[in-house]
Amino acid sequence: MTIAIVLLTEEGMPLARKLQATLSGGRIHGLAKRVAGADESFSDTADHLRTLFQENTTIVGICASGILVRTLAPLLSDKQREPAVIAVAEDGSVAVPLLGGHHGANALAREIAAATGGTAAITTTSDVRIGVAFDDLPTGWRIDNPELVKPVTASLLAGEDVVLECETCEASWLSDIPFSAEGKWRVLVTDRRHATDARTLVLNPPVLMLGVGCERDVEPEELVALVRSTLADAGLAQGSVAGVSSIDLKADEPAVQEVSVRLGMPLRFYSAAELEAEAPRLKTPSDIVFREVGCHGVAEGAALAAAGIDGELIVSKVRSKRATCAVARAKSPIDPAKFAAAQNGRLAVIGIGPGSKTWRSPEATHELRAADIVIGYQLYLDQIAGEISGKKQYDSKLGEEAKRTSLALELAATGKRVALVSSGDAGIYALASLVFELIDQADDDGWSRIAITVVPGISALQAAAARVGAPLGHDFCAISLSDLLTPEATILKRLEAAARGDFVVALYNPQSVRRRRLLSAARDILAAARPADTPVVIARNISREDEAVVVTTLREFDTEQVDMTTLVLIGSSHTKSIRQGGRLWTYTPRGYANARAEAGAGADQASQKGASS
């Protein structure tokens, strides 16, 4: 959970620090003109609160509840998806869950009250009267038939008799509810599939662990279908699956990854030695499997290893043509988050955009806040300082991209959550491709088990284009002029092709202190193929304090204005500049005028043909 502790006065800072020490993932957001020392500052309270809410960030406001209510009210639309919002008195005496009571707010308010010695002002009826809410389940638990939550809760609140039946495991979190021996309503805790019963609320505890194995490059659909049929044939509820596991040799197997995605469950891998330790508990050990991978069973061994020492194999190995599946039941519920935390690490390759926070995606912000370690060029780390304060950080110089990327992979392979930061978009002339290139070259088992996410960002060419209008309105291309990355002959060949194709051209890495020749060559090549008055955009440090954008022409283009922080956009033969509202705008027509002209010509021809006939 990402938590923003929002502070509007300096007097509330001691409480904010106490809450930050208590709430995992909490960061202090302070009003700039009144609060010093916050992890992140803001100048407009309403705008900042709305942004946090829309980013699905839990808000703990040390302020009057009315401020939060009035600010967020216009954004309320779906209580099932909205984040928790809690108002806390400045002296810590009261914590009031305003939104998301059954989605974390009530629990968080109680945690805050315990830390401050105050009171959690819980107002949801089910919590007040019976102590729990069926739509606020412990982590990993699922409801098979949520439509019965309201009638069963209403029955309990009305003092009617409701029966609790635990078929699979105990449910201690329900112990305070006054259940009866008999009643017209029933709450059933089970990991088995049950026929629809209009009087039984079915709760699935997270106790089932799937073990899977497969041949190399098996079709994902085969393994997914095997898993689903195995559960169905055994009469087991998919909602009780807490995790998927396999041998580490399959960490890069798409089919295994796909099972995890389809079931929405975490994935964990075990070494052959760890799986061989489960050999005495296997029901179908195989010497053939042992000779191939070093353990006597993959699917059964993985299921048992995941279920723990007290786990029981309840479905022995089931085969399809090229895959296997087994199911083990844990003795008590397993927290999927903790199960996932024991897995190998995670690497998020993040494009942070051109610099401004307003141009950074919510996904990028979420991944930065979730990371244990952040790695990047220092200039980029400075731009996201508010999101990564307090985290372990590594930086290196320009030109040391491979060093940064290798370090990110090495740290992620130790089980850490690592964020590798690029400016602009991580996949455009940035580090995402280098991540996969190094993995491809290294053939490192540890690296192959890392869960990788690539987070897109607004690229430099998009940012520059937005500042001047719509120069990318038709076909365009991007060419890097760095001969450190691409041979000069190849760069010149691509420039010639772009000139012949009449593309709008975005020039990345245009010029440095040492590299001075290729930008002039690019200008001359493109100038020979399009009008001298073709617009040229020179954009430096877009969205940063020293931003500078100039629109000139090929005739007037002075390459000495350009450095490595600059992106150059050179229009096609159709690109134009116009004045509107006192500003010079640049755009490339999408071709609608030609389409209309052709349509008009076709209509004229049809009319003439009709007249002649």
Side-chain angles (χ1 to χ4, degrees), residues 230-410:
T230 299
L231 291 171
D233 292 346
L236 297 172
Q238 185 172 307
S240 278
V241 175
V244 182
S245 55
S246 188
I247 192 168
D248 56 10
L249 295 174
K250 298 299 177 183
D252 60 347
E253 190 67 53
V256 177
Q257 299 283 348
E258 186 66 15
V259 169
S260 173
V261 171
R262 296 283 190 93
L263 269 63
M265 285 293 114
L267 180 59
R268 183 173 173 181
F269 298 98
Y270 296 92
S271 67
E274 289 174 305
L275 297 188
E276 183 58 15
E278 303 295 337
R281 298 202 286 167
L282 302 182
K283 292 185 179 180
T284 60
S286 169
D287 291 334
I288 295 175
V289 174
F290 181 79
R291 287 194 295 270
E292 290 181 353
V293 299
C295 64
H296 280 85
V298 171
E300 291 183 358
L304 287 165
I309 192 170
D310 296 325
E312 174 191 4
L313 190 66
I314 59 173
V315 179
S316 57
K317 180 172 62 179
V318 179
R319 295 177 178 273
S320 64
K321 184 178 180 180
R322 301 182 64 203
T324 59
C325 177
V327 185
R329 177 187 288 130
K331 186 175 182 179
S332 56
I334 292 176
D335 184 338
K338 292 180 180 178
F339 175 75
Q343 171 60 312
N344 287 281
R346 190 167 185 273
L347 174 61
V349 192
I350 304 172
I352 62 171
S356 169
K357 178 184 176 181
T358 58
W359 278 2
R360 191 183 312 144
S361 74
E363 182 186 9
T365 299
H366 172 78
E367 291 291 349
L368 289 169
R369 292 173 177 171
D372 303 314
I373 300 169
V374 183
I375 300 174
Y377 177 48
Q378 188 60 55
L379 174 64
Y380 307 154
L381 299 183
D382 291 343
Q383 292 170 12
I384 55 174
E387 308 296 348
I388 62 175
S389 175
K391 297 181 184 293
K392 195 169 187 64
Q393 301 174 29
Y394 294 93
D395 73 295
S396 61
K397 301 175 183 178
L398 280 177
E400 296 183 345
E401 288 79 10
K403 177 181 177 181
R404 287 201 294 276
T405 305
S406 292
L407 177 61
L409 287 163
E410 290 167 5

Side-chain angles (χ1 to χ4, degrees), residues 453-483:
T453 299
V454 179
V455 181
I458 294 177
S459 66
L461 66 87
Q462 290 173 295
R467 283 292 192 251
V468 300
L472 305 180
H474 210 294
D475 295 342
F476 63 91
C477 67
I479 299 175
S480 170
L481 297 188
S482 173
D483 54 9

